[in-house]
Structure formats: structure tokens, C-alpha cells
Amino acid sequence: MSGFKSEFLKLLDERGYIHQASDLQGLDELLSKETVTAYIGFDPTGKSLHVGHMMGIMMLKRLQQAGHKPVVLIGGGTSRIGDPSGKDEQRQLLTDEDIAANMASIRSSFERYLAFGDGPADAVMVNNADWLDELRYIPLLRDVGRHFSVNRMLSFDSVRLRLEREQPLSFLEFNYMILQAYDFVELSKRLGVRLQMGGSDQWGNIINGIELGRRMAGIELFGLTCPLITTASGAKMGKTAAGAVWLNEDMLSSWDYWQFWRNTEDADVGRFLKLFTDLPMEEIARLEALKGSEINEAKKVLATEATAILHGRKAAEEAAETARRTFEEHAFASALPTVEVPAQELEEGMGVLAAFVRAGLCASNGEARRAVTNGAVKVNDRSVSDPHLVLGITDVTSEGVIKLSFGRKKHALLKPR
RNA sequence: GGAGGGGUGCCCGAGUGGUUAAAGGGGACGGGCUGUAAACCCGUUGGCUUAGCCUACGUUGGUUCGAAUCCAACCCCCUCCA
């Protein structure tokens, strides 16, 4: 599966993005001949995107790198239905206000990865609510519904699994695939889109769009999916101590984002470097060849490069430097997450447990208490064994802060104000 | 509409009157080993002003000295019948 002519497919292939495609040869042909417009759909179901969306975002980035035009489709219309794929329960329906707020909040993340504008290869963002909201039922049934066989729809994984497990599937959700297929055709008319990409779980939906395009409009569309990314030990990617790995800085700091990549499993480093950084292949090959504890070098590069794309080179290097001081020199680093507290509170005395909750390192006093009991808590790098310990102004170091540590990896600073 | 089965902690799942903040597993977190890895071993895993108190086994009420466990009504899910 190599020997592609087009720069885009070569890029995707050597970096490991290709899982399945509808007509690779035809697509390769097209991509090497003209500027192709391609899209991926994203549901505005949260305030921020997370690493689970990274594959899609990076594919669009590669597309643009190869000189083609990326379209970010926001599923403002379809997210009011909910994709039934792989879920046993119906998704909660979002209000229009939620969706609008989420869209605005997500947009800035895309701008980190893609250059938006009016040029031929500039990215654009569209919302399928713009056309789905206006659809009329009878015309839709006649124009689109006639091309869908219920027998076939029932055979798709997204539907079949629900039925087999005897989980309810509403008619609303059953329509999702029709609308997603319609999106593809509509985008081809509006923006000349020829290619839809997505995760492997979207294969069925993408194929539907391709067929609908042929039947409704006689146009030839293409589909390409990427593999579902799990860690080498099989876990779904994208969890940290703090929860999901969000892309919005206000939900996950660049420090935590850097840490997420730094903690990649050995066996994943090469793969992730290819997928999530812009480093040239030769450089990645060099890093991949490292053995044993040297792999840590590769992980640092991965963390810094991945963070630089999202939060900027400066923030990435600051995170790297903070990590170096904290973990390698066990020294003080002022760029650790810092929480300000009124100086008066410290003068009056603050319980260790409360301090850890305040700093966001523990969710409750109980958790902090257990952490102390387990010997996991340090203040100014000294172990704490007494949950009744009270921190005061005398605990403030010469740097003007109190350093709190939970375990070896989680640190924060308390700063009197 | 009728008959039966079921709703337990983040998830799965045991538990049928007190010894149950609730077995076991998964996940998560912490410790050990290491390299801020994996695997493995150990520990923790409702909240609080923690020798105690509060909240919790679909919801609401009841029986009882005492209920996740018994009773009633209601809500939701599943199976079979209409």
C-alpha cells in the first residue's frame, strides 16, 4: 500500500493515518491533479475539543500542508440528534445555546492547527445547521430517503449493535446516518468537497455519503478513515490525572498538556511522533531508535513539539524547562501551576488538607487525608504524615510560595497575595 | 392492557432484617521497582469539624428497636402474551 503519487497520501501513509479508503487509486489520482477540498465533521458536544479529536485535526493539517483545502464541518444540526455509534444509550440532547457556545469555544483550537481564510488552500469552517435546519420533510424523503434501504441501514454496526444488545434506538438517532450522508452531498455542491475523512467508526457514514452523492447527483466522492488510536497497552487515549485531555488552555494548562505527552508509553512514542508532531521523518527515525531510558529524550521532544503546535513554542519550552527543574533537578520551578490565596488566610493558618484541595491537587479533604495517610503528600519537598498539620506564613519559602506535591508527578504552588 | 424479571457505589456485579459505607472484578489514584514508561507487587477508592457524625442501594411513604434487604404506591428498563 505504498507508491502514492500525491504528496498528501504519501504523507498520510508514511505517518500512519490510513486505515481504510473507498478508492485509493482514484483518490491519489485526483489529489495529484488538482487542489482537493476535504472535510471532517466534529460535534460541538463539549466546550473544548480533546485529544480524541487530534487524529481528525491532524489529518486536516496534513491536508493543508500538502496544498489542499480543509473544511471543518461543525455538526450544529446533527449534534441535536446524536450519533448512535458505539453507544448503548441515547445521548443527551443539547440546547441551541449550548451548541452555539461550544462552537465559539472550539473554534480557537482549530485556528492553532489550520490557517483559515479565503485563499484556495485556506481552511473554512461551516455549520451543517445552516442547511439541515431548513430541510423540509417531504422533499427530503423523496430526494434522499428513496436512496436509503432500511434493510441496509439496519445492518450498519451503529444500528445493529444497539439492536443486538436490545438497547433502545430512537427514530431520531436512526436518522443520523441519513443526515450525515446528506451533509457530504451538500458540501460537495456548496464547496466542491470531494473527500470526507474521519475515524474508522465513521466508515459506514462516509460510505453512505459517497453512495448518496452518486445516486442523487452523479458525482464521485471519496472517503478515507484513520485508525482508532489506543495506547500500546490497549487503553483509550486521552486521560490524565485531571481527567480528559482538553485542548482549550482554560480547561487544561499547557503544563498539564505537556505532561500528558511526556507520560506516553515507550511503545507509543514513535507512532505518536509521526501522528502528532511536524518533525521530519528522518528525525523521528533517529528518536525511535533510542533504547531504554534514552527513550525519555524522545518523549520530551514529543511533548514539546505537540504542545508547541497547540499552545505555542514559548509555552511548550517553558513547560519543558519547568519539568526539567522539577523532575530532573528536584529543584524549585516557579512556573508550576500556581494558586493565589489571601495572605491573611495563611497568617491565620491553613490546614494541609484544605491547602491541597485549594490547589486543585485533591478533590476533597477526605482524598487529601488518605493521601497523607498513604505517605503521598509533600510540602516544600518534605513528607507530611500528620493530617492536622497547619500551614502558616512561616512555610512560605524564599521564593515566596509554598510548594505542594501529591505523589511524584503532581505539583502546585500556593502563593500568598 | 395482562403476566413475569429487574433498577446497588465511577462501571460491572454480589448481597434478601442487625456483624454492610455494602463481597468480588474493572477502572482510577497512591506506594514499591524503574527511566515522570510498560509489566509486576502492595495500598487506597462517599462526605465531614474523623476514637464520632452525616449521606447512600430507582422515587415516596410504611412495618420494625433496627431495612439495600419486608410491605404499599409510583417512575423507568427488559421478556412473554394481547
Side-chain angles (χ1 to χ4, degrees):
Chain A
M1 201 50 91
S2 59
F4 289 113
K5 283 193 282 184
S6 65
E7 194 190 335
F8 179 53
L9 287 185
K10 273 186 208 160
L11 198 56
L12 288 195
D13 183 44
E14 71 183 6
R15 287 187 175 254
Y17 290 92
I18 299 178
H19 180 250
Q20 247 178 321
S22 60
D23 172 12
L24 263 184
Q25 274 197 332
L27 181 60
D28 193 32
E29 203 67 45
L30 182 72
L31 284 159
S32 53
K33 217 168 52 201
E34 55 188 79
T35 301
V36 173
T37 306
Y39 88 100
I40 297 181
F42 296 86
D43 279 345
T45 46
K47 272 192 299 184
S48 166
L49 297 166
H50 51 78
V51 279
H53 296 109
M54 285 293 293
M55 284 295 276
I57 297 171
M58 290 306 290
M59 278 202 291
L60 289 178
K61 184 176 169 68
R62 303 294 182 219
L63 181 81
Q64 193 164 47
Q65 283 170 345
H68 300 284
K69 186 180 185 69
V71 173
V72 175
L73 173 69
I74 299 295
T78 32
S79 67
R80 286 189 299 191
I81 292 182
D83 184 355
S85 299
K87 297 182 187 60
D88 273 352
E89 282 172 26
Q90 184 171 345
R91 231 186 240 171
Q92 235 186 338
L93 298 180
L94 295 166
T95 66
D96 290 353
E97 293 79 60
D98 290 338
I99 292 169
N102 290 342
M103 275 179 66
S105 164
I106 283 170
R107 187 182 172 104
S108 61
S109 291
F110 281 110
E111 286 170 349
R112 298 294 195 156
Y113 294 87
L114 304 171
F116 286 84
D118 299 322
D122 282 345
V124 293
M125 183 179 270
V126 292
N127 179 0
N128 65 10
D130 291 351
W131 54 86
L132 294 182
D133 278 1
E134 291 162 7
L135 286 177
R136 290 182 301 147
Y137 197 53
I138 299 296
L140 177 75
L141 288 180
R142 291 179 56 112
D143 297 341
V144 178
R146 64 191 299 190
H147 299 298
F148 280 84
S149 137
V150 170
N151 312 47
R152 189 139 175 284
M153 287 171 77
L154 290 174
S155 76
F156 280 98
D157 280 357
S158 59
V159 171
R160 209 195 67 230
L161 293 174
R162 276 276 189 99
L163 296 180
E164 278 176 6
R165 291 186 206 162
E166 296 177 337
Q167 296 293 331
L169 175 74
S170 67
F171 183 67
L172 180 76
E173 294 171 282
F174 190 55
N175 276 269
Y176 186 91
M177 66 171 82
I178 291 180
L179 295 181
Q180 186 168 332
Y182 181 76
D183 278 346
F184 199 172
V185 178
E186 187 65 24
L187 281 169
S188 74
K189 288 181 187 163
R190 290 183 174 227
L191 301 169
V193 166
R194 298 295 301 276
L195 168 67
Q196 179 180 181
M197 302 185 289
S200 55
D201 57 331
Q202 293 301 311
W203 180 246
N205 286 328
I206 293 173
I207 290 298
N208 277 334
I210 293 173
E211 288 188 7
L212 186 62
R214 191 173 60 235
R215 290 179 187 164
M216 265 181 83
I219 43 176
E220 191 188 7
L221 301 174
F222 298 89
L224 179 71
T225 60
C226 63
L228 182 71
I229 298 298
T230 54
T231 66
S233 43
K236 220 190 239 175
M237 199 181 145
K239 281 285 196 65
T240 61
V245 181
W246 303 109
L247 302 192
N248 283 25
E249 171 114 46
D250 57 349
M251 291 178 69
L252 190 79
S253 68
S254 50
W255 157 257
D256 283 322
Y257 190 73
W258 192 94
Q259 283 297 318
F260 166 73
W261 293 105
R262 173 63 182 83
N263 284 300
T264 297
E265 291 177 27
D266 284 10
D268 289 326
V269 177
R271 197 161 50 110
F272 287 0
L273 281 166
K274 287 179 203 157
L275 292 171
F276 303 117
T277 76
D278 284 331
L279 288 178
M281 290 299 284
E282 309 82 72
E283 175 67 2
I284 293 174
R286 185 185 72 77
L287 292 167
E288 264 187 304
L290 297 173
K291 293 274 182 281
S293 61
E294 289 182 334
I295 294 175
N296 286 326
E297 284 313 308
K299 290 185 191 180
K300 288 180 214 165
V301 174
L302 169 65
T304 301
E305 292 304 314
T307 305
I309 298 177
L310 178 61
H311 296 302
R313 177 69 52 185
K314 188 163 168 275
E317 281 170 3
E318 190 174 79
E321 175 59 14
T322 300
R324 193 184 64 73
R325 284 199 214 157
T326 305
F327 291 107
E328 293 177 28
E329 294 179 2
H330 301 284
F332 173 81
S334 62
L336 286 170
T338 303
V339 175
E340 294 197 344
V341 294
Q344 196 196 341
E345 282 189 50
L346 275 178
E347 279 160 24
E348 287 164 4
M350 179 184 280
V352 242
L353 307 184
F356 273 77
V357 174
R358 194 65 170 275
L361 292 173
C362 293
S364 68
N365 280 15
E367 188 186 329
R369 185 185 310 278
R370 286 190 292 270
V372 170
T373 311
N374 284 341
V377 161
K378 284 182 183 162
V379 172
N380 291 331
D381 295 319
R382 279 205 309 274
S383 285
V384 173
S385 55
D386 177 14
H388 297 292
L389 180 73
V390 174
L391 303 182
I393 218 80
T394 53
D395 292 300
V396 176
T397 63
S398 54
E399 285 87 3
V401 295
I402 300 176
K403 183 179 174 188
L404 305 178
S405 308
F406 176 28
R408 287 167 303 161
K409 293 188 188 179
K410 283 176 268 185
H411 307 277
L413 302 176
L414 222 51
K415 186 174 189 178
R417 152 163 64 85

